[in-house]
Amino acid sequence: MQKKHYYIKTFGCQMNVYDSERIAAILQNMGFAPASSQAQADIVIFNTCHIREKAAEKVFSDLGRAELIKQERALDGKDTIIGITGCVVQAEDEQIAKRAPYVDFATGPLTYHRLPEIITKVLRKKSAGTIIDTEFPAESKFDYLPQANSSSGCAFLAIQEGCNNFCTYCVVPYTRGIETSRPVEEVIKEARNLISKGALEINLLGQNVNSYHGEDAGGKERGLAYLLNKLAELDGLKRLRYTTSYPADMDDELINCHRDIPILMPFLHLPVQAGSDKILKAMNRRHTAGDYLRIIEKLKKANPKIGMSSDFIVGFPGETDKDFQATLDIVNQVKFIQAFSFKYSRRAGTPAAVMPEQVEEKVKKERLETLQNLLFSYQSKFNDSCVGKTTSVLFESKGRHKGQLIGRTPYMQNLHVEAGKEFLNKIVDIKITGATTNSLSGILKGE
């Protein structure tokens, strides 16, 4: 019998990347092999994100193209299963049935561990219409997911899921549920497995990762600082990161990890979202601009080499020119070396969507351009300051050009170099020879 193939397209955050890796492991355990394109796949899965409206609309656009491919394959006598997983399913299950009735199954981010049962039903044609599973199950999906079948030099490891903060612009508590944390020993077991398969760097993931509160072997609840110290003891692990963090949960014990754990990279993504206390309160963020700056001061005291990254939302309801200037002010004070910035996007069901004083699209666009120009200036300045220095790079993939590899520095900068594939998934010392806003170039040390 000819082997069946799968194709997964991932949207959104690093948690979705992790989920897609686990979905791939599930499919491989069912006997499917990866396809090189959608046209070659017997099962196509879109793992989706619902943070911004454009991301959700892109999913439906891609589904339409997948349906055309499904029809073309049918002319050759080939069946194709189309599935959706992730946050769009949780938020828009009714829309999926209306707008994409040709979809065979749809599961939320907490139920994709049930895929073997769901796919089997589809294959046996035991269900008419789309199978939709958007429950918030009592069991943890992590109890049922297979270990990764393979690993690259850099691996993601989900330790926490969901969020209790209920920021007024965010759908995560409604799509991922309340906060849950995996037990310490379970995380360490998965980390050992990843290291045994070649991982040199592990990035711990969670919607609010620094609120981690998993139980240890004795049943005692432990925080992220405890977990980081335990993972740092594992043989073979060279780099450690965690994302995404919430400012109010950056306690002193965690901050001290940036002083005391050598393999914890000197780079932290800590979203502030806005510089105005009025807007932060409207967002239901549990910190002020002053709180955030004090945390940064502590982090830099713990590790003077640390570089900061952040998220920003411009044009939140009620944001005035004065509020926006406060955001520019905090950028000028922190001098972020990387950042993600977006126009506020109304998400149905969130409190901010029905707030008065919605900001005009034109104003949001102008403010975003101003903010991004400022952010890019600091990012470019930092990248330029790296030229002439030697840094360690973990090479993760081949570049677009022949003989080119792409990797990441300790500061999460993309760096490309001409080097043989024998350096792939290895940490190599590189002399930085060039810089742009978004990437670095270099040569092997000694060349």
Side-chain angles (χ1 to χ4, degrees), residues 7 11 19 36 105 112-113 121 147 153 190 254 281 343:
Y7 182 90
F11 299 81
D19 286 346
S36 57
F105 68 85
Y112 70 78
H113 60 286
K121 283 183 180 179
Q147 294 280 324
E190 185 169 341
L254 180 55
K281 184 176 181 180
K343 293 181 292 183

Side-chain angles (χ1 to χ4, degrees), residues 37-204:
S37 68
Q38 276 192 51
Q40 295 179 342
D42 302 282
I43 179 168
V44 177
I45 295 177
F46 297 95
N47 191 19
T48 62
C49 173
H50 199 257
I51 292 295
R52 286 172 295 280
E53 185 178 8
K54 283 187 178 180
E57 284 304 311
K58 190 172 189 315
V59 172
F60 286 106
S61 177
D62 280 7
L63 282 171
R65 286 190 287 271
E67 168 63 359
L68 294 176
I69 294 174
K70 182 174 183 173
Q71 292 173 2
E72 291 172 1
R73 282 171 53 86
L75 295 175
D76 294 330
K78 299 175 182 177
D79 289 331
T80 309
I81 295 172
I82 299 176
I84 316 176
T85 60
C87 294
V88 166
V89 178
Q90 203 71 38
E92 302 196 25
D93 52 342
E94 294 181 2
Q95 286 297 313
I96 290 167
K98 290 178 182 177
R99 296 178 62 179
Y102 47 82
V103 168
D104 295 289
F105 68 85
T107 71
L110 302 181
T111 54
Y112 70 78
H113 60 286
R114 299 175 182 171
L115 281 176
E117 176 187 350
I118 292 170
I119 292 170
T120 299
K121 283 183 180 179
V122 174
L123 289 170
R124 294 176 179 173
K125 303 186 186 303
K126 286 191 173 183
S127 177
T130 305
I131 299 174
I132 296 179
D133 188 347
T134 55
E135 289 183 17
F136 279 180
E139 78 274 12
S140 168
K141 71 181 183 184
F142 297 109
D143 294 340
Y144 297 88
L145 295 178
Q147 294 280 324
N149 291 327
S150 61
S151 179
S152 64
C154 176
F156 295 121
L157 201 172
I159 64 168
Q160 179 271 345
E161 187 160 28
C163 185
N164 295 345
N165 290 314
F166 289 90
C167 297
T168 55
Y169 54 82
C170 186
V171 296
V172 166
Y174 311 103
T175 59
R176 294 268 182 179
I178 62 171
E179 289 178 2
T180 58
S181 295
R182 300 174 68 185
V184 171
E185 294 304 317
E186 186 180 309
V187 172
I188 291 174
K189 179 181 177 181
E190 185 169 341
R192 285 199 179 104
N193 177 63
L194 292 168
I195 294 167
S196 73
K197 289 178 166 58
L200 300 174
E201 173 181 305
I202 290 179
N203 193 338
L204 305 179

Side-chain angles (χ1 to χ4, degrees), residues 247-258:
D249 293 321
M250 287 298 302
D251 58 34
D252 289 344
E253 190 178 4
L254 180 55
I255 289 171
N256 288 339
C257 288
H258 290 272

Side-chain angles (χ1 to χ4, degrees), residues 191-359:
R192 285 199 179 104
N193 177 63
L194 292 168
I195 294 167
S196 73
K197 289 178 166 58
L200 300 174
E201 173 181 305
I202 290 179
N203 193 338
L204 305 179
L205 300 180
Q207 272 77 40
N208 190 17
V209 70
N210 58 336
S211 72
Y212 174 83
H213 54 275
E215 291 185 353
D216 65 14
K220 184 176 180 180
E221 203 169 85
R222 299 289 191 172
L224 181 57
Y226 177 87
L227 182 63
L228 288 170
N229 278 286
K230 297 297 282 187
L231 290 170
E233 296 172 359
L234 297 180
D235 290 338
L237 186 61
K238 305 298 183 185
R239 288 180 166 190
L240 193 52
R241 304 182 189 272
Y242 61 94
T243 193
T244 292
S245 296
Y246 190 77
D249 293 321
M250 287 298 302
D251 58 34
D252 289 344
E253 190 178 4
L254 180 55
I255 289 171
N256 288 339
C257 288
H258 290 272
R259 177 193 66 199
D260 300 332
I261 301 178
I263 67 169
L264 186 59
M265 293 293 96
F267 175 85
L268 181 61
H269 184 67
L270 188 64
V272 64
Q273 301 299 0
S276 161
D277 287 347
K278 183 192 86 176
I279 296 301
L280 290 170
K281 184 176 181 180
M283 289 177 167
N284 196 35
R285 300 287 285 180
R286 292 186 290 112
H287 63 87
T288 64
D291 294 333
Y292 187 86
L293 291 171
R294 282 186 287 274
I295 293 166
I296 300 298
E297 184 180 2
K298 286 184 177 182
L299 284 162
K300 289 187 176 293
K301 185 176 180 181
N303 184 353
K305 295 182 179 180
I306 199 166
M308 300 303 303
S309 171
S310 186
D311 290 340
F312 293 92
I313 296 173
V314 300
F316 188 81
E319 184 186 70
T320 63
D321 288 341
K322 182 180 178 181
D323 295 322
F324 177 62
Q325 182 58 50
T327 295
L328 299 179
D329 290 344
I330 207 166
V331 171
N332 283 321
Q333 289 180 76
V334 179
K335 299 177 175 58
F336 298 94
I337 66 171
Q338 290 180 32
F340 300 95
S341 52
F342 309 96
K343 293 181 292 183
Y344 167 70
S345 175
R346 296 170 83 165
R347 310 310 293 132
T350 60
V354 293
M355 284 181 177
E357 300 182 82
Q358 296 285 331
V359 177

